[in-house]
Amino acid sequence: MRLVKGGIMIAFLTIGTVTGILLGLRFKILVLIPATLLMTAATTAIGVANGRQFSAVVLTSIGTAVLLQLGYIVGCIFQVMVPAHLPTRSRADSRFGTRQGIGYVNNGAGRDRTVRTNANYWH
């Protein structure tokens, strides 16, 4: 039975970290205030409902808040670092549905040459 109760608190620490990463990828830093308050309230309520000791509930709440904020920092780092390694797409391409591709043109002398083409299409 002790393993199950400890598992719930470890799950909160994991959920706090993953939630922080997801918030860091999408939102600004002000989202941490309500997220931290919500996670602390949920951790405290479930810890008390399961009959955990006060010290264990407090430590789990503090640990969840800290890991939520560290996860936010990791998410912000992912947001900055990952797009640097992905191919870029210009704003005009995504706005107007322009697709660049490779085409083949016969120049009349029996030789084909490769050219870049812009094919417009609507999504």
Side-chain angles (χ1 to χ4, degrees):
M1 189 71 174
R2 182 166 171 83
L3 181 64
V4 173
K5 286 185 180 180
I8 291 172
M9 296 303 153
I10 290 173
F12 267 114
L13 297 174
T14 305
I15 290 169
T17 305
V18 171
T19 303
I21 291 171
L22 294 176
L23 292 175
L25 288 172
R26 181 71 178 112
F27 297 103
K28 295 187 180 196
I29 196 163
L30 290 178
V31 78
L32 284 179
I33 296 169
T36 302
L37 292 175
L38 184 66
M39 288 296 285
T40 302
T43 304
T44 304
I46 291 178
V48 170
N50 282 332
R52 300 290 294 176
Q53 294 179 354
F54 180 72
S55 61
V57 172
V58 169
L59 287 175
T60 304
S61 296
I62 291 171
T64 303
V66 168
L67 288 175
L68 176 77
Q69 294 172 11
L70 287 175
Y72 180 85
I73 292 170
V74 170
C76 288
I77 291 170
F78 281 162
Q79 182 184 21
V80 171
M81 296 301 289
V82 171
H85 298 290
L86 296 175
T88 58
R89 186 173 180 181
S90 72
R91 186 178 178 108
D93 285 347
S94 62
R95 184 173 177 192
F96 297 112
T98 304
R99 177 177 54 188
Q100 288 190 352
I102 302 293
Y104 296 99
V105 176
N106 187 344
N107 63 4
R111 296 186 201 142
D112 291 336
R113 63 186 175 110
T114 305
V115 295
R116 291 193 69 72
T117 61
N118 282 333
N120 290 327
Y121 65 97
W122 294 98
H123 295 270

